[in-house]
Amino acid sequence: MEQRRGTFRKQVAFLLAVVLLDGALLGTAGGVAGSFWGTHTPYATSRGTGLAAGSVAAGSTAPETAVTADGSLAGSTPEVPKLVALTFDDGPHKTCTPKLLDGLKERNVKATFFLMGENIVGKEDLVRRMQEEGHLIGNHSYRHIQLTHAGEDAVCEAIEKTETMIEEITGVRPGYLRPPYGDWNESLECRMNLTTVFWSVDSLDWKLKNTKQIVKRVKKETGEGDIILMHDIFPTSVEAALQIVDQLQSQGYTFVTVDELLID
Ligand code: NI
């Protein structure tokens, strides 16, 4: 349900440059520049700063260490948590989303949900619950269409409508947008005062619909600072997400909402 498009070439290249300059090239970011489908593309754009930075801390900020005469490590070497973000698009879903929320709550994990306006109707309680349980709620527009084909006014209206729906339920106006299919361009961006969030690991959960395969793929692709794309509208995705949490937590990862990974 999500697909990269060539319109982001410039942004990708730019972020890659930012990341390189920062010395924080993520282990898997090498495949970014030429590919827009199914590869790591760790970036986000921020309306506020005009640039974006899906770049994340841990890789570039590990403290220097020194070895003392007796071979032990000197200075402070506090454990830098390995941060990762789970994101769920296209919901809320009547049965899958509550199940996911239960599992996340049991594990004390916070995630990010990019909600589709038309799916919110009748499921306001789930939206309220997401907020009460500490998840970040973002905007996935009103319907699942390619925004660059819709015309600027229609796009802004659809996004605005979803903003208002969420705000009326939670009292908080979402600050983050994930365009359906990752389909976006700069002319749309200049109208919306939202931070656009893409992803760096595509679980392909919508296509695989197989818990084991989703878990395997995400585990293989994920490193620190990654933003994992999933959809809380399939039972296999919910089951996979919870297994991913358990397995990555056991490897020392901490799950955070995307606002904790993005610099804006
Ligand atoms: Ni979607």
Side-chain angles (χ1 to χ4, degrees):
M1 305 214 175
E2 304 294 348
Q3 184 179 352
R4 301 237 60 79
R5 292 182 63 83
T7 47
F8 299 105
R9 187 179 297 270
K10 271 199 308 198
Q11 288 166 296
V12 171
F14 178 64
L15 179 74
L16 187 61
V18 170
V19 170
L20 281 164
L21 283 170
D22 194 40
L25 181 63
L26 302 177
T28 46
V32 165
S35 175
F36 303 94
W37 174 227
T39 57
H40 285 253
T41 48
Y43 68 99
T45 61
S46 164
R47 174 75 184 93
T49 58
L51 67 88
S55 148
V56 249
S60 59
T61 56
E64 303 255 338
T65 60
V67 179
T68 60
D70 67 356
S72 62
L73 291 177
S76 61
T77 56
E79 277 292 304
V80 179
K82 294 194 285 184
L83 304 183
V84 67
L86 269 177
T87 64
F88 298 94
D89 289 7
D90 297 1
H93 183 277
K94 199 176 153 191
T95 55
C96 293
T97 304
K99 217 168 169 185
L100 176 63
L101 289 171
D102 290 345
L104 294 175
K105 194 177 181 186
E106 273 170 36
R107 292 160 177 81
N108 195 27
V109 162
K110 312 298 178 217
T112 305
F113 291 86
F114 291 97
L115 304 183
M116 180 137 296
E118 67 175 353
N119 289 342
I120 291 173
V121 182
K123 305 184 200 83
E124 291 81 358
D125 285 354
L126 286 173
V127 180
R128 213 167 287 123
R129 184 177 164 193
M130 285 171 186
Q131 198 209 17
E132 284 166 5
E133 296 181 359
H135 303 292
L136 180 66
I137 299 173
N139 188 328
H140 198 48
S141 190
Y142 190 77
R143 289 199 173 88
H144 217 276
I145 55 164
Q146 287 186 234
L147 299 181
T148 58
H149 295 190
E152 226 176 279
D153 290 341
V155 168
C156 291
E157 201 179 301
I159 293 170
E160 183 61 31
K161 187 171 177 183
T162 304
E163 287 287 289
T164 304
M165 288 174 86
I166 296 171
E167 188 179 15
E168 279 174 1
I169 298 166
T170 65
V172 179
R173 195 168 178 78
Y176 296 87
L177 171 76
R178 175 172 283 157
Y181 309 103
D183 186 48
W184 193 241
N185 65 33
E186 283 147 16
S187 70
L188 296 173
E189 190 162 325
C190 67
R191 288 273 302 270
M192 304 303 305
N193 189 27
L194 291 168
T195 299
T196 313
V197 179
F198 297 92
W199 56 89
S200 55
V201 174
D202 188 346
S203 70
L204 295 182
D205 60 338
W206 59 274
K207 190 174 163 189
L208 294 171
K209 293 212 184 89
N210 175 304
T211 299
K212 209 171 155 186
Q213 286 176 18
I214 299 166
V215 173
K216 191 179 166 197
R217 178 181 166 85
V218 170
K219 269 182 69 186
K220 183 168 165 264
E221 301 283 318
T222 302
E224 54 187 80
D226 271 322
I227 297 175
I228 302 166
L229 168 66
M230 300 191 77
H231 300 82
D232 57 324
I233 56 172
F234 307 111
T236 44
S237 299
V238 171
E239 184 52 40
L242 298 177
Q243 288 185 24
I244 287 163
V245 167
D246 291 339
Q247 296 187 25
L248 292 184
Q249 277 185 334
S250 74
Q251 291 174 19
Y253 284 92
T254 300
F255 287 86
V256 295
T257 49
V258 294
D259 53 338
E260 294 185 60
L261 285 185
L262 304 173
I263 301 161
D264 59 359

